[in-house]
C-alpha cells in the first residue's frame, strides 16, 4: 500500500492514491473476516479440533474431507 500511496508505484487505475485507499479498505475487510473466522473456530470447533487443528485424542483432526453441507450442519 505504501508503494501505491507514496511512491506512486504499480497502481492499476492510474490514480495511485485512490488505489492505495481501495487496497487499504480491502485489507481491513479481509482482516475483519479472518478475525470472525478465528473467533468462530475458537468457540465452535476447537473443543474437538483444538486451536492448532490437530484434533483431540479421538483423532478428530482437520485432514479428512467433509462436504460443506455436512460441515455447516455440524
Amino acid at each position: 500500500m505504501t508503494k501505491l500511496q507514496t511512491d506512486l508505484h504499480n497502481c492499476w487505475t492510474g490514480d495511485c492514491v485512490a488505489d492505495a485507499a481501495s487496497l487499504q479498505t480491502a485489507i481491513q475487510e479481509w482482516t475483519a473476516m479472518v478475525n470472525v473466522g478465528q473467533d468462530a473456530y475458537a468457540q465452535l470447533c476447537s473443543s474437538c479440533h483444538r486451536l492448532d487443528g490437530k484434533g483431540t485424542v479421538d483423532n478428530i483432526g482437520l485432514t479428512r474431507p467433509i462436504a460443506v453441507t455436512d460441515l455447516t450442519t455440524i
Side-chain angles (χ1 to χ4, degrees), residues 29-53:
E29 290 172 355
W30 179 83
T31 302
M33 197 171 45
V34 167
N35 290 339
V36 167
Q38 288 174 338
D39 292 344
Y41 181 86
Q43 291 173 6
L44 303 171
C45 307
S46 66
S47 62
C48 293
H49 297 286
R50 296 192 333 194
L51 288 175
D52 63 7

Side-chain angles (χ1 to χ4, degrees), residues 16-32:
C16 290
V17 174
D19 289 349
S22 175
L23 181 59
Q24 182 175 11
T25 298
I27 290 169
Q28 290 168 335
E29 290 172 355
W30 179 83
T31 302

